[in-house]
Amino acid sequence: MTIRQPRYSKEEFARLGDEIYEYKVRPQVEEGNEGKIVAIDLETGDFEVDKSEIAACDRLESTHPDAQIWIVRIGSGYVRHFGGRTKRS
């Protein structure tokens, strides 16, 4: 089992992840995939899309075992939502 070590600061990790998603990945995945997860390897730009965060990451790691993975929910600014939600009427 490989223990993955971070190679970027948190700020650089987020900046790279957002940049790759916006300019490379988003145009390819947005249509028809809203709400799904995209897992992106920051170093290769390769990505996997799935309803399951775990499945997307597992597939990406099967081809890139040392991937630095950034996760985005397509069509949302958040992967997870914490706290209560108000009902819209």
Side-chain angles (χ1 to χ4, degrees), residues 4-22 24-25 38-48 60 64 66-72:
R4 190 172 315 135
Q5 296 296 318
R7 292 188 284 278
Y8 304 96
S9 69
K10 290 178 185 178
E11 295 78 14
E12 183 70 358
F13 196 83
R15 187 193 65 73
L16 281 170
D18 286 342
E19 184 177 291
I20 293 168
Y21 178 72
E22 283 301 317
K24 180 183 178 190
V25 177
V38 61
I40 305 165
D41 178 8
L42 296 183
E43 296 186 331
T44 65
D46 291 347
F47 62 92
E48 291 289 339
L60 190 58
H64 302 289
D66 200 31
Q68 297 290 297
I69 300 176
W70 180 252
I71 301 169
V72 177

Side-chain angles (χ1 to χ4, degrees):
M1 175 185 244
T2 302
I3 298 175
R4 190 172 315 135
Q5 296 296 318
R7 292 188 284 278
Y8 304 96
S9 69
K10 290 178 185 178
E11 295 78 14
E12 183 70 358
F13 196 83
R15 187 193 65 73
L16 281 170
D18 286 342
E19 184 177 291
I20 293 168
Y21 178 72
E22 283 301 317
Y23 297 107
K24 180 183 178 190
V25 177
R26 184 177 177 187
Q28 298 180 61
V29 302
E30 196 166 52
E31 190 173 323
N33 288 308
E34 188 164 334
K36 290 183 180 177
I37 295 291
V38 61
I40 305 165
D41 178 8
L42 296 183
E43 296 186 331
T44 65
D46 291 347
F47 62 92
E48 291 289 339
V49 176
D50 201 282
K51 287 187 269 184
S52 163
E53 181 179 332
I54 293 170
C57 290
D58 284 350
R59 279 201 313 276
L60 190 58
E61 288 174 325
S62 73
T63 56
H64 302 289
D66 200 31
Q68 297 290 297
I69 300 176
W70 180 252
I71 301 169
V72 177
R73 183 172 304 278
I74 299 168
S76 174
Y78 307 97
V79 173
R80 294 184 190 90
H81 179 85
F82 296 98
R85 296 183 188 180
T86 56
K87 260 189 171 176
R88 293 183 184 186
S89 47

